[in-house]
Amino acid sequence: MASLEEIKDYLFHKVESYAGKKQVKVPHLTQEIIEHFGEAECSKKDVKEALKELIDEEKLVYGYYGGTTIELPHVEGSANA
Amino acid sequence: MSDTPMIDQLETGPWPSFIKDIKRMAEKNAMCKDLLGLLEMSYKDKKTHWKHGGIVGVRGYGGGIIGRYSDSPEKFPNVSHFHTVRVNQPSAWFYNTGALRYLCDLWEKHGSGLTNLHGSTGDFVMLGTTTDQLEPIFTDLSEHGWDLGGSGSDVRTPSCCNGMARCEFACYDTMNLCYDLTNEYQDELHRPAFPYKFKFKMSGCPNDCVASIARSDCSIIGTWRDDIQQDDAAVAEYAKGGKVDIANDVVGKCPTGCMSWNGSKLSIDNKNCNRCMHCINVMPKALRPGKDKGAMILLGAKAPIVQGALLSSVLVPFIKMEPPYEEFKDLIRRIWEFWDEHGENRERIGEMIVRIGKGNFVEEVGLEPVPAMIKEPRSNPYIFYEEYFDEE
């Protein structure tokens, strides 16, 4: 079984790789992570737990662009205005 | 001349005016003053000057805050941020005056002082605050026993009619179920993980006072499966009083034609009654819902955002709706698992059912197809009999 830390690490780097390129959503991320580790090694519940920890640690944040997205924390352009 | 000649016109006429209220708040709140200016500009330019979305929220939550920024911060700096806060309302919107005072005071302290009562999801909606005020608002709300509602791709704040608290027709305790589901699905409410939004609305009887059939992905509507309770003496009183023309106003308007009236006796063919409530609404002292009460579960309503509007259609014709609601929650778990797996981005559950076919959906969530799984009474059944196709 993949450890929680391994899943968190991979999840974080996935979101990081999408930064500035794609607004990524939870179902898409979940699918990618399970495909990476394999269903025997990582379940939806594991991904959910990893995401929960990353959000609570403020390493990732929720966003909204036509549905909820997962993003790196940043200051929005609109907020700077 | 006024700075806002166009929106000033909205103060005329007999109805209470939102402009009048915003102006009243503008005397003590700079956000409201700039809001008037921005609104005037929108009327003049014939377009909105708001931008929607972004990453605003409170720590750990993906829902409850809706980001709003103005596209003209240089002209109206006090509404450059104007975020909306959704507060999870009590079941059936029962507040005491102290609770309302607290919420209003909180909002005057941290926001514009303007509210919407209530949003279409049911929440107590607070309009207009800045990003730096969000955490203090959330902390204050939490300390006083309140929580944020849903937004984004999550379970939206469940809402219900006032059911057994105020209405003699309620077939199950809508308020208890609403409270129970709100507590049960805290994670799904605050941490969005679905393909798109999912709304529960609960009505105690088929009158459907919260319009759940049009406004929720999962409509839970009270019903009964035995016979309408009938008091013949009270029926005779209605007839004698002349206030109700039973032949025309009751029997003549029965959508399934399951009633007859011979001038002295009302007969109901209950097996053909579709629980429309019309006769009960017209003669509430004489007719009442049956004694074997529960709810029907309908799935799939939505407003037209990505695709066109849909009404819910029947998934479970009758279920006993009593705590701890395990049978219902088990069904919801199976529905969510399937939607999570097969739903496309921004696809509501009703749209997915249309795409894959109700027959396939019913099979995948482990329900037996029954003739009551229809969109409209006595029309368009979804059920196809495999034996029938085999013969061809």
Side-chain angles (χ1 to χ4, degrees):
Chain A
M1 286 293 289
S3 72
L4 185 62
E5 285 308 314
E6 284 174 317
I7 299 170
K8 278 172 67 178
D9 197 45
Y10 186 72
L11 203 163
F12 179 81
H13 286 105
K14 263 285 152 195
V15 175
E16 200 175 38
S17 73
Y18 284 122
K21 298 174 196 160
K22 182 180 176 176
Q23 306 291 353
V24 67
K25 297 184 176 174
V26 178
H28 179 84
L29 275 173
T30 306
Q31 198 180 346
E32 283 202 329
I33 289 157
I34 292 174
E35 271 173 22
H36 173 78
F37 287 103
E39 277 185 31
E41 297 292 314
C42 175
S43 67
K44 272 186 187 177
K45 203 177 160 189
D46 297 329
V47 180
K48 194 175 167 183
E49 188 57 34
L51 180 60
K52 188 176 178 177
E53 289 204 2
L54 286 165
I55 294 280
D56 289 346
E57 290 163 8
E58 297 185 275
K59 288 179 180 162
L60 296 177
V61 292
Y62 291 106
Y64 183 89
Y65 292 92
T68 301
T69 55
I70 302 295
E71 303 185 33
L72 298 177
H74 61 275
V75 178
E76 292 178 295
S78 298
N80 284 328
Chain B
M1 187 183 161
S2 161
D3 293 338
T4 55
M6 297 188 84
I7 60 172
D8 288 352
Q9 291 177 32
L10 297 173
E11 289 185 272
T12 59
W15 289 96
S17 163
F18 73 102
I19 297 297
K20 200 173 280 179
D21 268 3
I22 298 175
K23 282 185 176 176
R24 198 175 297 151
M25 280 305 292
E27 289 170 12
K28 57 180 178 181
N29 187 303
M31 292 181 103
C32 294
K33 192 163 185 294
D34 277 5
L35 179 63
L36 289 166
L38 190 80
L39 189 55
E40 177 75 14
M41 193 166 79
S42 286
Y43 274 77
K44 197 175 156 195
D45 298 346
K46 294 188 170 60
K47 67 167 194 174
T48 183
H49 286 284
W50 293 117
K51 297 186 285 181
H52 169 215
I55 60 165
V56 288
V58 297
R59 187 178 171 188
Y61 276 35
I65 310 289
I66 297 97
R68 284 279 186 286
Y69 295 104
S70 142
D71 68 2
S72 305
E74 66 295 338
K75 284 187 188 166
F76 303 105
N78 294 307
V79 289
S80 60
H81 301 203
F82 202 72
H83 309 315
T84 297
V85 177
R86 287 185 182 156
V87 179
N88 193 329
Q89 81 285 7
S91 280
W93 304 285
F94 279 95
Y95 299 90
N96 63 28
T97 52
L100 288 173
R101 270 190 215 102
Y102 161 71
L103 291 169
C104 292
D105 288 346
L106 175 82
W107 202 236
E108 288 197 7
K109 184 178 171 191
H110 294 286
S112 71
L114 300 174
T115 63
N116 273 163
L117 299 183
H118 287 87
S120 61
T121 42
D123 305 275
F124 186 106
V125 178
M126 296 169 152
L127 298 168
T129 192
T130 51
T131 306
D132 62 307
Q133 292 296 315
L134 294 173
E135 286 293 344
I137 290 166
F138 180 54
T139 304
D140 203 322
L141 284 168
S142 301
E143 284 171 356
H144 287 82
W146 298 87
D147 198 0
L148 297 183
S151 66
S153 307
D154 64 7
V155 166
R156 298 302 182 84
T157 320
S159 72
C160 66
C161 73
N162 55 24
M164 289 179 173
R166 296 279 290 161
C167 179
E168 69 271 39
F169 295 149
C171 295
Y172 72 97
D173 190 344
T174 52
M175 297 174 61
N176 184 272
L177 178 64
C178 186
Y179 185 67
D180 189 291
L181 295 185
T182 304
N183 283 291
E184 177 82 16
Y185 298 130
Q186 280 290 294
D187 219 29
E188 289 79 2
L189 215 160
H190 298 309
R191 295 178 182 272
F194 290 143
Y196 207 19
K197 63 186 89 169
F198 191 94
K199 299 179 181 180
F200 289 108
K201 292 200 192 301
M202 289 140 258
S203 287
C205 79
N207 280 330
D208 195 12
C209 289
V210 293
S212 68
I213 198 167
R215 307 197 304 140
S216 60
D217 299 271
C218 181
S219 326
I220 306 149
I221 301 177
T223 189
W224 64 95
R225 61 181 167 185
D226 55 351
D227 294 349
I228 290 174
Q229 298 183 69
Q230 185 173 339
D231 180 341
D232 285 331
V235 173
E237 282 297 310
Y238 276 106
K240 195 170 73 178
K243 286 181 182 170
V244 176
D245 178 345
I246 295 178
N248 286 318
D249 296 342
V250 179
V251 175
K253 290 184 176 169
C254 175
T256 63
C258 75
M259 311 180 90
S260 61
W261 169 247
N262 65 7
S264 60
K265 170 72 181 166
L266 180 71
S267 303
I268 305 173
D269 174 12
N270 275 279
K271 68 178 184 304
N272 276 313
C273 167
N274 69 358
R275 279 73 172 149
C276 80
M277 291 291 289
H278 174 72
C279 60
I280 296 174
N281 291 334
V282 176
M283 302 195 295
K285 290 178 183 169
L287 303 174
R288 299 181 74 81
K291 291 178 178 168
D292 188 7
K293 295 171 180 169
M296 68 184 99
I297 313 297
L298 300 90
L299 217 58
K302 62 174 284 290
I305 300 181
V306 182
Q307 293 180 30
L310 294 171
L311 290 178
S312 294
S313 60
V314 175
L315 189 70
V316 179
F318 187 89
I319 183 171
K320 278 288 185 187
M321 199 50 89
E322 288 160 359
Y325 311 109
E326 286 304 328
E327 192 183 350
F328 173 71
K329 289 172 188 170
D330 186 51
L331 173 64
I332 292 298
R333 183 187 52 75
R334 299 198 307 270
I335 290 170
W336 281 348
E337 272 178 16
F338 186 72
W339 180 44
D340 207 24
E341 190 77 25
H342 300 279
E344 293 178 353
N345 183 29
R346 294 191 83 195
E347 185 176 51
R348 299 281 284 271
I349 191 102
E351 292 166 341
M352 186 190 73
I353 293 170
V354 169
R355 177 168 58 83
I356 67 171
K358 182 123 179 186
N360 292 326
F361 179 77
V362 165
E363 194 177 332
E364 291 293 338
V365 298
L367 291 174
E368 284 295 314
V370 293
M373 287 175 179
I374 55 170
K375 194 172 177 187
E376 295 153 8
R378 284 162 176 72
S379 69
N380 64 336
Y382 289 105
I383 309 307
F384 295 95
Y385 295 95
E386 288 175 13
E387 296 81 1
Y388 176 79
F389 289 110
D390 286 347
E391 282 172 18
E392 282 194 342

mmCIF file of all heavy atoms in Angstrom, chain B residues 278-307:
data_model
loop_
_atom_site.group_PDB
_atom_site.id
_atom_site.type_symbol
_atom_site.label_atom_id
_atom_site.label_comp_id
_atom_site.label_asym_id
_atom_site.label_seq_id
_atom_site.Cartn_x
_atom_site.Cartn_y
_atom_site.Cartn_z
ATOM 1 N N HIS B 278 -54.706 17.618 -4.671
ATOM 2 C CA HIS B 278 -55.706 18.642 -4.999
ATOM 3 C C HIS B 278 -56.956 18.506 -4.125
ATOM 4 O O HIS B 278 -57.403 19.485 -3.513
ATOM 5 C CB HIS B 278 -56.092 18.590 -6.480
ATOM 6 C CG HIS B 278 -57.205 19.538 -6.804
ATOM 7 N ND1 HIS B 278 -57.021 20.899 -6.849
ATOM 8 C CD2 HIS B 278 -58.532 19.331 -7.023
ATOM 9 C CE1 HIS B 278 -58.175 21.487 -7.096
ATOM 10 N NE2 HIS B 278 -59.109 20.559 -7.218
ATOM 11 N N CYS B 279 -57.530 17.307 -4.055
ATOM 12 C CA CYS B 279 -58.784 17.129 -3.299
ATOM 13 C C CYS B 279 -58.569 17.436 -1.815
ATOM 14 O O CYS B 279 -59.418 18.042 -1.157
ATOM 15 C CB CYS B 279 -59.353 15.729 -3.502
ATOM 16 S SG CYS B 279 -58.245 14.406 -2.980
ATOM 17 N N ILE B 280 -57.394 17.055 -1.310
ATOM 18 C CA ILE B 280 -57.093 17.297 0.114
ATOM 19 C C ILE B 280 -56.949 18.792 0.372
ATOM 20 O O ILE B 280 -57.424 19.314 1.379
ATOM 21 C CB ILE B 280 -55.817 16.527 0.523
ATOM 22 C CG1 ILE B 280 -56.073 15.017 0.401
ATOM 23 C CG2 ILE B 280 -55.361 16.893 1.927
ATOM 24 C CD1 ILE B 280 -54.858 14.142 0.637
ATOM 25 N N ASN B 281 -56.327 19.492 -0.557
ATOM 26 C CA ASN B 281 -56.173 20.944 -0.404
ATOM 27 C C ASN B 281 -57.521 21.665 -0.437
ATOM 28 O O ASN B 281 -57.720 22.658 0.256
ATOM 29 C CB ASN B 281 -55.287 21.513 -1.514
ATOM 30 C CG ASN B 281 -53.848 21.081 -1.390
ATOM 31 O OD1 ASN B 281 -53.378 20.773 -0.296
ATOM 32 N ND2 ASN B 281 -53.137 21.020 -2.500
ATOM 33 N N VAL B 282 -58.451 21.153 -1.257
ATOM 34 C CA VAL B 282 -59.757 21.823 -1.375
ATOM 35 C C VAL B 282 -60.632 21.521 -0.158
ATOM 36 O O VAL B 282 -61.354 22.393 0.323
ATOM 37 C CB VAL B 282 -60.467 21.394 -2.688
ATOM 38 C CG1 VAL B 282 -61.872 22.003 -2.775
ATOM 39 C CG2 VAL B 282 -59.646 21.817 -3.898
ATOM 40 N N MET B 283 -60.556 20.291 0.343
ATOM 41 C CA MET B 283 -61.409 19.903 1.485
ATOM 42 C C MET B 283 -60.563 19.347 2.634
ATOM 43 O O MET B 283 -60.676 18.165 2.989
ATOM 44 C CB MET B 283 -62.432 18.847 1.040
ATOM 45 C CG MET B 283 -63.334 19.317 -0.096
ATOM 46 S SD MET B 283 -64.783 18.281 -0.315
ATOM 47 C CE MET B 283 -64.069 16.742 -0.808
ATOM 48 N N PRO B 284 -59.721 20.173 3.233
ATOM 49 C CA PRO B 284 -58.782 19.648 4.249
ATOM 50 C C PRO B 284 -59.458 19.100 5.502
ATOM 51 O O PRO B 284 -58.858 18.287 6.217
ATOM 52 C CB PRO B 284 -57.903 20.853 4.574
ATOM 53 C CG PRO B 284 -58.699 22.046 4.173
ATOM 54 C CD PRO B 284 -59.527 21.616 3.012
ATOM 55 N N LYS B 285 -60.708 19.539 5.770
ATOM 56 C CA LYS B 285 -61.383 18.999 6.959
ATOM 57 C C LYS B 285 -61.976 17.623 6.676
ATOM 58 O O LYS B 285 -62.281 16.869 7.593
ATOM 59 C CB LYS B 285 -62.482 19.961 7.412
ATOM 60 C CG LYS B 285 -61.943 21.252 7.996
ATOM 61 C CD LYS B 285 -63.065 22.178 8.380
ATOM 62 C CE LYS B 285 -62.485 23.491 8.892
ATOM 63 N NZ LYS B 285 -63.511 24.519 9.030
ATOM 64 N N ALA B 286 -62.184 17.302 5.409
ATOM 65 C CA ALA B 286 -62.830 16.037 5.056
ATOM 66 C C ALA B 286 -61.837 14.974 4.588
ATOM 67 O O ALA B 286 -62.070 13.780 4.764
ATOM 68 C CB ALA B 286 -63.866 16.283 3.955
ATOM 69 N N LEU B 287 -60.760 15.394 3.969
ATOM 70 C CA LEU B 287 -59.799 14.438 3.398
ATOM 71 C C LEU B 287 -58.404 14.704 3.955
ATOM 72 O O LEU B 287 -58.008 15.869 4.118
ATOM 73 C CB LEU B 287 -59.769 14.564 1.867
ATOM 74 C CG LEU B 287 -61.092 14.368 1.134
ATOM 75 C CD1 LEU B 287 -60.926 14.664 -0.352
ATOM 76 C CD2 LEU B 287 -61.631 12.954 1.328
ATOM 77 N N ARG B 288 -57.683 13.637 4.223
ATOM 78 C CA ARG B 288 -56.322 13.783 4.741
ATOM 79 C C ARG B 288 -55.437 12.703 4.119
ATOM 80 O O ARG B 288 -55.940 11.670 3.671
ATOM 81 C CB ARG B 288 -56.288 13.609 6.263
ATOM 82 C CG ARG B 288 -57.133 14.638 7.003
ATOM 83 C CD ARG B 288 -57.047 14.431 8.503
ATOM 84 N NE ARG B 288 -55.768 14.862 9.040
ATOM 85 C CZ ARG B 288 -55.481 16.133 9.306
ATOM 86 N NH1 ARG B 288 -56.368 17.076 9.096
ATOM 87 N NH2 ARG B 288 -54.318 16.475 9.797
ATOM 88 N N PRO B 289 -54.116 12.932 4.081
ATOM 89 C CA PRO B 289 -53.230 11.856 3.617
ATOM 90 C C PRO B 289 -53.468 10.571 4.420
ATOM 91 O O PRO B 289 -53.937 10.627 5.563
ATOM 92 C CB PRO B 289 -51.833 12.418 3.890
ATOM 93 C CG PRO B 289 -52.004 13.901 3.840
ATOM 94 C CD PRO B 289 -53.367 14.151 4.419
ATOM 95 N N GLY B 290 -53.119 9.425 3.825
ATOM 96 C CA GLY B 290 -53.315 8.146 4.507
ATOM 97 C C GLY B 290 -52.495 8.031 5.786
ATOM 98 O O GLY B 290 -51.764 8.952 6.159
ATOM 99 N N LYS B 291 -52.621 6.861 6.443
ATOM 100 C CA LYS B 291 -51.908 6.678 7.714
ATOM 101 C C LYS B 291 -50.520 6.060 7.533
ATOM 102 O O LYS B 291 -49.652 6.221 8.380
ATOM 103 C CB LYS B 291 -52.750 5.788 8.636
ATOM 104 C CG LYS B 291 -54.017 6.483 9.120
ATOM 105 C CD LYS B 291 -54.838 5.546 9.988
ATOM 106 C CE LYS B 291 -56.087 6.274 10.495
ATOM 107 N NZ LYS B 291 -57.063 5.372 11.109
ATOM 108 N N ASP B 292 -50.334 5.303 6.442
ATOM 109 C CA ASP B 292 -49.053 4.630 6.206
ATOM 110 C C ASP B 292 -48.147 5.602 5.429
ATOM 111 O O ASP B 292 -48.091 5.594 4.200
ATOM 112 C CB ASP B 292 -49.287 3.339 5.418
ATOM 113 C CG ASP B 292 -48.028 2.508 5.311
ATOM 114 O OD1 ASP B 292 -47.009 2.856 5.962
ATOM 115 O OD2 ASP B 292 -48.049 1.501 4.578
ATOM 116 N N LYS B 293 -47.451 6.450 6.184
ATOM 117 C CA LYS B 293 -46.743 7.567 5.566
ATOM 118 C C LYS B 293 -45.246 7.318 5.399
ATOM 119 O O LYS B 293 -44.650 6.548 6.140
ATOM 120 C CB LYS B 293 -46.940 8.827 6.408
ATOM 121 C CG LYS B 293 -48.384 9.291 6.444
ATOM 122 C CD LYS B 293 -48.553 10.405 7.453
ATOM 123 C CE LYS B 293 -50.003 10.863 7.471
ATOM 124 N NZ LYS B 293 -50.283 11.743 8.595
ATOM 125 N N GLY B 294 -44.672 8.021 4.440
ATOM 126 C CA GLY B 294 -43.227 7.932 4.187
ATOM 127 C C GLY B 294 -42.857 8.987 3.172
ATOM 128 O O GLY B 294 -43.405 10.083 3.192
ATOM 129 N N ALA B 295 -41.958 8.635 2.266
ATOM 130 C CA ALA B 295 -41.542 9.613 1.249
ATOM 131 C C ALA B 295 -41.224 8.912 -0.055
ATOM 132 O O ALA B 295 -40.960 7.706 -0.078
ATOM 133 C CB ALA B 295 -40.322 10.385 1.737
ATOM 134 N N MET B 296 -41.273 9.674 -1.136
ATOM 135 C CA MET B 296 -40.757 9.183 -2.416
ATOM 136 C C MET B 296 -39.450 9.930 -2.694
ATOM 137 O O MET B 296 -39.304 11.095 -2.310
ATOM 138 C CB MET B 296 -41.762 9.372 -3.541
ATOM 139 C CG MET B 296 -42.043 10.792 -3.925
ATOM 140 S SD MET B 296 -43.327 10.896 -5.180
ATOM 141 C CE MET B 296 -44.747 11.288 -4.167
ATOM 142 N N ILE B 297 -38.524 9.229 -3.324
ATOM 143 C CA ILE B 297 -37.237 9.839 -3.661
ATOM 144 C C ILE B 297 -37.215 10.095 -5.158
ATOM 145 O O ILE B 297 -37.461 9.187 -5.955
ATOM 146 C CB ILE B 297 -36.045 8.899 -3.313
ATOM 147 C CG1 ILE B 297 -36.183 8.308 -1.907
ATOM 148 C CG2 ILE B 297 -34.710 9.623 -3.493
ATOM 149 C CD1 ILE B 297 -36.165 9.302 -0.807
ATOM 150 N N LEU B 298 -36.953 11.325 -5.526
ATOM 151 C CA LEU B 298 -36.827 11.681 -6.939
ATOM 152 C C LEU B 298 -35.426 12.219 -7.176
ATOM 153 O O LEU B 298 -34.804 12.789 -6.274
ATOM 154 C CB LEU B 298 -37.851 12.741 -7.335
ATOM 155 C CG LEU B 298 -39.320 12.375 -7.160
ATOM 156 C CD1 LEU B 298 -39.827 12.747 -5.786
ATOM 157 C CD2 LEU B 298 -40.183 13.048 -8.215
ATOM 158 N N LEU B 299 -34.963 12.041 -8.404
ATOM 159 C CA LEU B 299 -33.583 12.430 -8.683
ATOM 160 C C LEU B 299 -33.504 13.238 -9.975
ATOM 161 O O LEU B 299 -34.215 12.949 -10.934
ATOM 162 C CB LEU B 299 -32.741 11.148 -8.841
ATOM 163 C CG LEU B 299 -31.323 11.149 -8.314
ATOM 164 C CD1 LEU B 299 -31.290 11.471 -6.838
ATOM 165 C CD2 LEU B 299 -30.654 9.807 -8.567
ATOM 166 N N GLY B 300 -32.656 14.253 -9.968
ATOM 167 C CA GLY B 300 -32.243 14.814 -11.251
ATOM 168 C C GLY B 300 -32.643 16.216 -11.615
ATOM 169 O O GLY B 300 -32.388 16.636 -12.736
ATOM 170 N N ALA B 301 -33.270 17.011 -10.709
ATOM 171 C CA ALA B 301 -33.661 18.358 -11.123
ATOM 172 C C ALA B 301 -32.456 19.293 -11.165
ATOM 173 O O ALA B 301 -31.465 19.083 -10.470
ATOM 174 C CB ALA B 301 -34.706 18.926 -10.180
ATOM 175 N N LYS B 302 -32.582 20.307 -11.977
ATOM 176 C CA LYS B 302 -31.532 21.323 -12.061
ATOM 177 C C LYS B 302 -32.046 22.517 -12.856
ATOM 178 O O LYS B 302 -32.954 22.390 -13.658
ATOM 179 C CB LYS B 302 -30.277 20.768 -12.733
ATOM 180 C CG LYS B 302 -30.508 20.313 -14.172
ATOM 181 C CD LYS B 302 -29.239 19.912 -14.840
ATOM 182 C CE LYS B 302 -28.407 21.092 -15.231
ATOM 183 N NZ LYS B 302 -28.960 21.899 -16.342
ATOM 184 N N ALA B 303 -31.426 23.675 -12.618
ATOM 185 C CA ALA B 303 -31.727 24.868 -13.402
ATOM 186 C C ALA B 303 -30.835 24.874 -14.639
ATOM 187 O O ALA B 303 -29.852 24.141 -14.697
ATOM 188 C CB ALA B 303 -31.478 26.107 -12.546
ATOM 189 N N PRO B 304 -31.169 25.689 -15.634
ATOM 190 C CA PRO B 304 -30.362 25.659 -16.860
ATOM 191 C C PRO B 304 -29.041 26.402 -16.718
ATOM 192 O O PRO B 304 -29.008 27.613 -16.838
ATOM 193 C CB PRO B 304 -31.261 26.356 -17.888
ATOM 194 C CG PRO B 304 -32.147 27.229 -17.091
ATOM 195 C CD PRO B 304 -32.316 26.582 -15.755
ATOM 196 N N ILE B 305 -27.963 25.687 -16.445
ATOM 197 C CA ILE B 305 -26.641 26.327 -16.439
ATOM 198 C C ILE B 305 -25.830 25.757 -17.604
ATOM 199 O O ILE B 305 -25.722 26.368 -18.653
ATOM 200 C CB ILE B 305 -25.905 26.153 -15.094
ATOM 201 C CG1 ILE B 305 -26.723 26.785 -13.954
ATOM 202 C CG2 ILE B 305 -24.533 26.826 -15.179
ATOM 203 C CD1 ILE B 305 -26.105 26.706 -12.596
ATOM 204 N N VAL B 306 -25.305 24.548 -17.438
ATOM 205 C CA VAL B 306 -24.522 23.972 -18.530
ATOM 206 C C VAL B 306 -25.457 23.447 -19.616
ATOM 207 O O VAL B 306 -25.294 23.708 -20.802
ATOM 208 C CB VAL B 306 -23.595 22.852 -18.008
ATOM 209 C CG1 VAL B 306 -22.758 22.292 -19.151
ATOM 210 C CG2 VAL B 306 -22.672 23.384 -16.914
ATOM 211 N N GLN B 307 -26.464 22.664 -19.186
ATOM 212 C CA GLN B 307 -27.495 22.202 -20.124
ATOM 213 C C GLN B 307 -28.846 22.738 -19.656
ATOM 214 O O GLN B 307 -28.928 23.455 -18.673
ATOM 215 C CB GLN B 307 -27.508 20.672 -20.165
ATOM 216 C CG GLN B 307 -26.238 20.084 -20.772
ATOM 217 C CD GLN B 307 -26.266 18.566 -20.814
ATOM 218 O OE1 GLN B 307 -27.324 17.955 -20.932
ATOM 219 N NE2 GLN B 307 -25.109 17.957 -20.704
#
